[in-house]
Amino acid sequence: MAAIGAMPEINGLRQKGRRSFVTLSLTILASSQSILIVWSKRAGKYEYSVTTANFLVEALKCALSLAALVRIWRKDGVTDDNRLSTTWDEVKVYPIPAALYLVKNLLQYYIFAYVDAPGYQILKNLNIISTGILYQIILKRKLTEIQWAAFILLCAGCTTAQLNPSSDHVLQAPLQGWVMAIVMALLSGFAGVYTEAIIKKRPSRNINVQNFWLYVFGMIFNAFAIMTQDFDAVMNDGFFHGYSLITVLMILNHALSGIAVSMVMKYADNIVKVYSTSVAMLLTAVVSVFLFGFHLSLAFFLGSTVVSVAIYLHTTGKARR
Amino acid sequence: MAAIGAMPEINGLRQKGRRSFVTLSLTILASSQSILIVWSKRAGKYEYSVTTANFLVEALKCALSLAALVRIWRKDGVTDDNRLSTTWDEVKVYPIPAALYLVKNLLQYYIFAYVDAPGYQILKNLNIISTGILYQIILKRKLTEIQWAAFILLCAGCTTAQLNPSSDHVLQAPLQGWVMAIVMALLSGFAGVYTEAIIKKRPSRNINVQNFWLYVFGMIFNAFAIMTQDFDAVMNDGFFHGYSLITVLMILNHALSGIAVSMVMKYADNIVKVYSTSVAMLLTAVVSVFLFGFHLSLAFFLGSTVVSVAIYLHTTGKARR
């Protein structure tokens, strides 16, 4: 692709098409991900160990990146931008996002002492705001005032769409719960924005090489998680104990979604990622009506309306920049 | 006021100041109105006849307009713009808003066959959208795209702020209920926009004269309502049967709010009126926390956030027109 640099217009169109494609892929993958989770919960409790599944997701992403690279090497030959070998200077920051996610996932166990599960779902929408703030501070790219208004609406709209009779409990959550939720939102926002900074730092570098190294560190961190959390279970029952067809589909889906997230970071940004996963959340609810006979609440319609207006404003706000 | 026409800048500032003053007055009066209603409900059931109270509201508005006119005549003398005498050509359209409100109020009795009271509160927010559409069609003044987005957000935000556990019932309301709600929204939007058209048709005409004639027709229509609905009660128990201090305060408040609405129509427009009464609704909820120990729900916070962003966007959208 890097060779076709002579015609900027075609390149621009190609880039816009690629951006739309990866955004759409992420939206579809993320919504089918939630549907698989609902499906697996209906089919029975999680019987497999989550840490082994996470490890396999990272391993699969590594393998897929490598496969893509092999294809590219055959087609274009090995260049400076697509060679797998790397320098310490390039990869030294790669473990940071994986480490941040690990800390966030550890905190997740503790927050439930202060907040119930539906409350946590509500508080997770703080991620939207933290991503916006960190995007602006760390990547130094400005959102326009209209785009900020849109981002606040996106957060309010997503939360509204998820409202349920027990949502108000979250207002009674102790201060510690709120502080932890804000810290988790900052960690997850920071990890996202940092990944984008890493991937965008060298724009000509092939995304599959960048992904390969990111996922290698993901594998290492998840291997560590297996050792500390599920060592006995894996030793006694085996690595693949409790795996089913749904488990395999979920691993496949998580791997593809993960790659889609990386692609969105490369060709678009964290803001697009947040919009994409928010729309996925709404899509999941609509699809669940048909698949599982769920009912859509008035709050869902109102939240979806607000999210739709937010997307419109984000696009309009960009054009006026 | 019409005499000071020489300095357009001062006039512009004066007009802006007057617009802000009437808008603020309407917001405060409308929110204290709801608080009086809650107070009167807590104090016991309505024991007075609502039609006589409505008649007194119109009569009081008439008297207040006349008092304001007398002051103006003493100061500026009688001119073509502030003389009370009128022509059939000027007032022939004045009964239309009063008639529309009458039809709307009659329909109100029938809609409860299809929709419960909280559901009706939710459906009343359709007024916002109908006012926006009719404002654009009848007054031929364009809202920008951002302002339309803001108006949809205002409707969604107000509805979200009013959500309660039984709100979802409205989604199960039969088609007739929805049709009636839409017809009522159109009638009320049409009455508002038509009043603005009447008041703005002759900008130099003194607002107190215009109000006087509007309220005269209001009195006539309400006298008709007393005759048809409460004739026996008034004859047997007397006109002021069941009146209390709260009743008097409510009549006073309704009269002042009514005049504030007319002023907003004269110096601003229906869009400002809708924003103003929406903010009043939110203010009422906040004040009720302190007065009556009400609790604010998460939905209220989300709705208020969306309404705040809508107000910001409406103002920004205007600047860019």
Side-chain angles (χ1 to χ4, degrees):
Chain A
M1 294 265 171
I4 322 168
M7 299 174 80
E9 279 161 55
I10 291 183
N11 245 9
L13 261 180
R14 198 182 278 263
Q15 205 166 344
K16 210 174 169 185
R18 189 158 51 184
R19 192 160 55 212
S20 307
F21 176 73
V22 295
T23 309
L24 192 68
S25 306
L26 176 59
T27 310
I28 293 167
L29 286 165
S31 60
S32 50
Q33 190 173 305
S34 315
I35 290 164
L36 283 171
I37 291 173
V38 177
W39 185 20
S40 77
K41 274 187 189 160
R42 295 225 149 181
K45 268 202 73 164
Y46 291 109
E47 280 168 14
Y48 60 95
S49 95
V50 177
T51 53
T52 61
N54 285 346
F55 178 84
L56 287 176
V57 167
E58 297 298 316
L60 185 54
K61 290 195 288 189
C62 251
L64 288 170
S65 303
L66 210 54
L69 275 174
V70 169
R71 243 186 97 225
I72 290 166
W73 291 332
R74 284 208 184 126
K75 202 169 136 246
D76 302 336
V78 178
T79 67
D80 252 8
D81 284 332
N82 72 20
R83 74 170 72 245
L84 198 59
S85 63
T86 181
T87 59
W88 172 238
D89 202 50
E90 186 182 13
V91 296
K92 69 180 177 200
V93 287
Y94 277 43
I96 293 174
L100 288 170
Y101 279 121
L102 191 78
V103 175
K104 199 206 105 190
N105 289 339
L106 285 174
L107 277 179
Q108 201 159 306
Y109 287 97
Y110 295 102
I111 196 169
F112 287 113
Y114 305 106
V115 184
D116 58 2
Y120 178 59
Q121 283 301 321
I122 296 282
L123 287 175
K124 263 169 88 173
N125 291 307
L126 289 170
N127 281 359
I128 297 176
I129 301 298
S130 71
T131 301
I133 293 172
L134 294 169
Y135 175 84
Q136 189 144 345
I137 294 175
I138 295 174
L139 297 177
K140 298 203 172 61
R141 280 194 282 145
K142 263 196 100 61
L143 291 170
T144 65
E145 278 175 25
I146 299 272
Q147 286 182 319
W148 259 112
F151 225 53
I152 293 167
L153 290 173
L154 181 67
C155 181
C158 285
T159 314
T160 304
Q162 293 173 311
L163 281 179
N164 62 58
S166 69
S167 302
D168 277 0
H169 294 179
V170 79
L171 294 177
Q172 273 93 51
L175 188 65
Q176 293 100 311
W178 280 90
V179 170
M180 282 182 78
I182 290 169
V183 169
M184 283 171 69
L186 286 172
L187 282 170
S188 134
F190 192 69
V193 169
Y194 204 86
T195 308
E196 185 179 339
I198 288 173
I199 289 178
K200 289 233 172 92
K201 201 191 168 189
R202 204 175 141 185
S204 65
R205 187 63 155 146
N206 191 288
I207 178 67
N208 295 296
V209 179
Q210 296 178 311
N211 279 348
F212 178 84
W213 287 107
L214 276 172
Y215 303 146
V216 162
F217 288 107
M219 278 172 72
I220 295 170
F221 277 94
N222 278 294
F224 178 77
I226 298 178
M227 302 289 199
T228 53
Q229 289 171 42
D230 286 326
F231 186 75
D232 288 345
V234 169
M235 279 298 139
N236 296 334
D237 305 325
F239 194 92
F240 295 101
H241 176 78
Y243 276 57
S244 66
L245 175 65
I246 303 177
T247 320
V248 174
L249 287 176
M250 279 174 80
I251 289 170
L252 203 65
N253 184 294
H254 268 84
L256 292 175
S257 312
I259 291 173
V261 167
S262 281
M263 296 285 182
V264 167
M265 302 280 191
K266 180 88 176 180
Y267 303 119
D269 52 41
N270 265 284
I271 305 298
V272 170
K273 183 200 147 199
V274 169
Y275 275 100
S276 172
T277 46
S278 301
V279 170
M281 185 270 289
L282 300 179
L283 268 183
T284 305
V286 174
V287 172
S288 301
V289 170
F290 297 101
L291 287 185
F292 310 113
F294 281 13
H295 283 290
L296 294 181
S297 65
L298 179 57
F300 178 81
F301 286 114
L302 294 169
S304 305
T305 305
V306 173
V307 169
S308 308
V309 174
I311 293 169
Y312 164 75
L313 288 171
H314 180 77
T315 324
T316 316
K318 202 189 297 182
R320 291 177 184 219
R321 184 144 52 169
Chain B
M1 295 264 169
I4 323 168
M7 298 174 81
E9 278 163 55
I10 290 182
N11 246 9
L13 261 179
R14 200 181 277 263
Q15 205 166 343
K16 209 174 170 184
R18 190 158 52 185
R19 192 160 56 215
S20 308
F21 176 74
V22 295
T23 309
L24 191 68
S25 305
L26 176 58
T27 311
I28 293 168
L29 286 165
S31 59
S32 51
Q33 192 173 305
S34 316
I35 289 163
L36 283 172
I37 291 173
V38 178
W39 185 21
S40 77
K41 274 186 190 159
R42 296 225 148 181
K45 269 203 73 165
Y46 291 109
E47 281 167 14
Y48 61 95
S49 94
V50 177
T51 54
T52 61
N54 285 346
F55 178 83
L56 287 176
V57 167
E58 297 299 315
L60 186 55
K61 290 196 285 189
C62 252
L64 288 171
S65 303
L66 209 54
L69 275 175
V70 170
R71 241 187 95 227
I72 290 165
W73 291 332
R74 285 207 185 127
K75 202 168 134 248
D76 302 336
V78 178
T79 68
D80 251 9
D81 284 332
N82 71 22
R83 75 170 70 245
L84 198 59
S85 62
T86 181
T87 59
W88 172 239
D89 202 52
E90 185 180 14
V91 296
K92 69 180 176 200
V93 287
Y94 277 43
I96 293 175
L100 288 170
Y101 280 122
L102 191 78
V103 176
K104 199 207 103 190
N105 288 338
L106 285 175
L107 278 179
Q108 199 159 307
Y109 288 97
Y110 295 101
I111 196 168
F112 287 113
Y114 306 106
V115 184
D116 58 2
Y120 177 57
Q121 284 301 320
I122 296 283
L123 287 175
K124 264 170 87 174
N125 291 308
L126 288 171
N127 281 358
I128 296 176
I129 301 298
S130 71
T131 301
I133 293 172
L134 293 168
Y135 175 84
Q136 188 144 346
I137 293 174
I138 296 175
L139 297 178
K140 297 202 172 62
R141 280 195 280 145
K142 263 197 101 61
L143 291 170
T144 64
E145 278 175 24
I146 299 273
Q147 285 182 319
W148 258 114
F151 226 52
I152 294 167
L153 290 173
L154 182 68
C155 182
C158 284
T159 315
T160 304
Q162 292 173 311
L163 280 179
N164 61 58
S166 70
S167 303
D168 278 359
H169 293 178
V170 79
L171 293 177
Q172 272 93 52
L175 187 65
Q176 294 100 311
W178 279 89
V179 170
M180 283 183 77
I182 290 168
V183 169
M184 284 172 69
L186 286 172
L187 282 171
S188 134
F190 192 68
V193 169
Y194 204 86
T195 307
E196 184 178 339
I198 287 174
I199 288 178
K200 290 234 172 93
K201 202 191 167 191
R202 204 177 142 185
S204 65
R205 187 63 155 147
N206 190 288
I207 177 68
N208 295 295
V209 178
Q210 295 177 311
N211 279 349
F212 178 84
W213 288 107
L214 275 171
Y215 303 147
V216 162
F217 287 107
M219 278 171 73
I220 296 170
F221 277 95
N222 277 293
F224 178 76
I226 297 178
M227 303 287 201
T228 52
Q229 288 171 42
D230 286 327
F231 187 75
D232 288 345
V234 168
M235 280 297 139
N236 295 334
D237 305 326
F239 194 92
F240 295 102
H241 177 79
Y243 277 55
S244 65
L245 175 66
I246 303 177
T247 320
V248 174
L249 287 176
M250 280 174 79
I251 289 171
L252 205 65
N253 184 293
H254 267 85
L256 293 175
S257 313
I259 291 174
V261 167
S262 282
M263 296 283 182
V264 167
M265 302 281 189
K266 180 90 176 178
Y267 303 119
D269 53 41
N270 265 284
I271 305 298
V272 170
K273 183 201 147 198
V274 169
Y275 275 100
S276 173
T277 47
S278 302
V279 170
M281 184 270 288
L282 300 179
L283 268 183
T284 305
V286 175
V287 173
S288 300
V289 171
F290 298 101
L291 289 184
F292 309 113
F294 282 11
H295 283 289
L296 294 180
S297 65
L298 180 57
F300 178 80
F301 286 114
L302 295 169
S304 305
T305 306
V306 172
V307 169
S308 307
V309 174
I311 293 170
Y312 164 76
L313 288 171
H314 180 76
T315 325
T316 316
K318 200 188 300 183
R320 290 177 186 220
R321 186 146 48 172

